[in-house]
């Protein structure tokens, strides 16, 4: 099971995130980015965060530590924003926390520092879990102490929003053309050689065991049966690699086709004057 902490103070909403994650302090003296059980797409998003986050970690990819955070609704009393206040109230109970990485930089700032081996592993992993949310528009990666960190896996495992359609997702090609790392020369064959043998039923079962029972409570079905469904689905996806791996290798070799970002200063209106020196970010 994930470590369980209890929230002691609500600090602020993180407005960069569409689901309005909250920054909270907890009784272990840690600070966490909290994803709410009552937000948007529901508790499945939290399941995806745990399954993908812990699978990524088991494959050696860097992910902030995950915990469950028990939140009492009284903690919302000081929050002036009604929408946030209501979200917190409805999320009373067990939510997901990611270790807050203070001073982490947005991905953009260090994009050139991702080596092909790591880029290949991230790409391969995102294709396995069907993560549609790591694009150059919304990279969902941070740099912390010079190291890449993967965040925000809530939009992966899309099959679990509609299980009858899950068999069709098993062999579905992964569209990597807009992936945030596609221009880093990702070494996908090496990633496949290294990571595929690590993804076993035993590993996936361990990963699913980290998900709290109450988040898997689907229409009276036993949580153990729901866990087995996720394991079966991900094993089938792994075994169907001949359907998605060649396309991934080809997309990585093509490097996304064209540069997504205009060269520095190209889209700058003349009234702004010359661009600032390299390395200076304007907000
Ligand atoms: N562990 C963390 N440490 C520091 N900052 C974080 C952390 N997790 C998230 N953030 C910041 O909060 C923002 C929102 O987080 P995240 O992308 O997980 O939320 P979301 O609501 O799922 O977002 P989206 O709008 O992409 O769906 C991130 O872009 C990042 O700037
Ligand atoms: Mg995000």
């Amino acid at each position: 099971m994930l470590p369980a902490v209890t929230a002691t103070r609500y600090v602020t909403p993180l407005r960069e995130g569409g689901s309005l994650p909250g920054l909270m302090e907890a009784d272990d003296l840690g600070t966490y980015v909290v994803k709410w059980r009552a937000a948007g797409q529901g508790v499945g998003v939290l399941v995806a965060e745990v399954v993908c986050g812990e699978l990524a970690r088991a494959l050696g990819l860097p992910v902030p530590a995950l915990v469950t955070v028990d939140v009492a609704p009284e903690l919302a009393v000081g929050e002036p924003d009604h929408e946030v206040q209501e979200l917190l109230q409805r999320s009373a109970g067990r939510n997901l926390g990611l270790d807050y990485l203070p001073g982490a930089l947005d991905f953009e700032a260090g994009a050139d520092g991702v080596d092909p081996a790591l880029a290949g592993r991230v790409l391969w992993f995102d294709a396995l879990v069907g993560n549609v949310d790591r694009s150059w528009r919304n990279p969902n990666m941070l740099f912390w102490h010079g190291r890449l960190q993967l965040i925000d896996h809530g939009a992966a495992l899309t099959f679990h929003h509609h299980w009858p359609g899950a068999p069709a997702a098993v062999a579905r090609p992964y569209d990597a053309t807009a992936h945030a790392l596609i221009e880093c020369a990702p070494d996908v064959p090496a990633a496949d050689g290294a990571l595929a043998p690590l993804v076993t039923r035993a590993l996936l079962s361990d990963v699913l065991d980290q998900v709290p029972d109450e988040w898997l409570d689907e229409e009276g079905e036993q949580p153990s049966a729901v866990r087995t469904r996720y394991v079966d689905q991900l094993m089938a996806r792994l075994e169907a690699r001949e359907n998605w791996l060649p396309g991934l290798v080809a997309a990585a070799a093509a490097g996304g086709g064209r540069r997504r970002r205009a060269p520095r200063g190209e889209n700058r209106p003349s009234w702004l004057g010359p661009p600032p020196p390299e390395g200076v970010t304007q907000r």
Side-chain angles (χ1 to χ4, degrees):
M1 280 301 267
L2 294 178
V5 305
T6 301
T8 51
R9 189 168 83 94
Y10 181 72
V11 183
T12 187
L14 289 180
R15 297 195 181 274
E16 303 97 314
S19 67
L20 281 178
L23 198 61
M24 299 199 88
E25 290 171 354
D27 60 348
D28 66 343
L29 305 182
T31 306
Y32 297 96
V33 174
V34 177
K35 300 278 185 109
W36 308 112
R37 56 186 298 151
Q41 294 254 31
V43 86
V45 169
L46 306 191
V47 176
E49 290 274 13
V50 177
V51 173
C52 298
E54 293 305 323
L55 178 58
R57 195 188 320 284
L59 298 179
L61 295 169
V63 184
L66 300 181
V67 298
T68 60
V69 187
D70 196 21
V71 178
E74 301 82 71
L75 291 175
V77 288
E79 172 53 47
D81 183 321
H82 271 289
E83 190 190 351
V84 177
Q85 167 99 234
E86 200 220 23
L87 187 57
L88 250 105
Q89 300 278 357
R90 284 189 294 121
S91 299
R94 198 179 286 199
N95 296 274
L96 178 72
L98 284 94
D99 191 19
Y100 176 63
L101 309 176
L105 302 175
D106 286 344
F107 170 73
E108 205 88 66
D112 296 337
V114 181
D115 73 275
L118 178 58
R121 286 167 187 239
V122 174
L123 204 61
W124 186 93
F125 168 76
D126 283 338
L128 178 71
V129 298
N131 185 12
V132 294
D133 212 2
R134 192 134 35 228
S135 69
W136 55 275
R137 275 200 195 85
N138 192 11
N140 286 315
M141 290 179 283
L142 300 172
F143 274 97
W144 194 58
H145 292 291
R147 207 170 163 224
L148 191 75
Q149 297 279 331
L150 308 183
I151 60 163
D152 195 1
H153 299 104
L157 312 182
T158 42
F159 56 81
H160 70 171
H161 297 295
H162 182 64
W163 282 103
V170 165
R172 189 172 292 150
Y174 178 74
D175 181 2
T177 51
H179 195 280
L181 297 176
I182 199 72
E183 291 176 357
C184 299
D187 189 347
V188 176
D192 185 60
L195 300 186
L198 303 180
V199 182
T200 59
R201 283 199 82 84
L203 177 76
L204 291 170
S205 301
D206 285 351
V207 165
L208 262 300
D209 282 345
Q210 312 247 35
V211 182
D213 278 359
E214 62 185 276
W215 295 350
L216 293 169
D217 190 14
E218 290 184 26
E219 283 148 34
E221 217 177 333
Q222 285 296 316
S224 62
V226 181
R227 287 194 174 93
T228 303
R229 250 194 288 150
Y230 280 89
V231 172
D232 289 347
Q233 180 77 19
L234 287 167
M235 276 315 284
R237 175 78 176 152
L238 179 79
E239 282 156 12
R241 294 208 301 301
E242 78 270 16
N243 295 283
W244 54 266
L245 194 58
L248 195 64
V249 172
R258 61 192 166 85
R259 284 205 73 82
R260 301 282 160 186
R261 285 180 292 278
R264 208 175 163 73
E266 191 168 275
N267 291 335
R268 200 176 166 85
S270 57
W271 51 264
L272 261 179
E278 205 61 53
V280 176
T281 311
Q282 287 189 328
R283 292 254 166 201

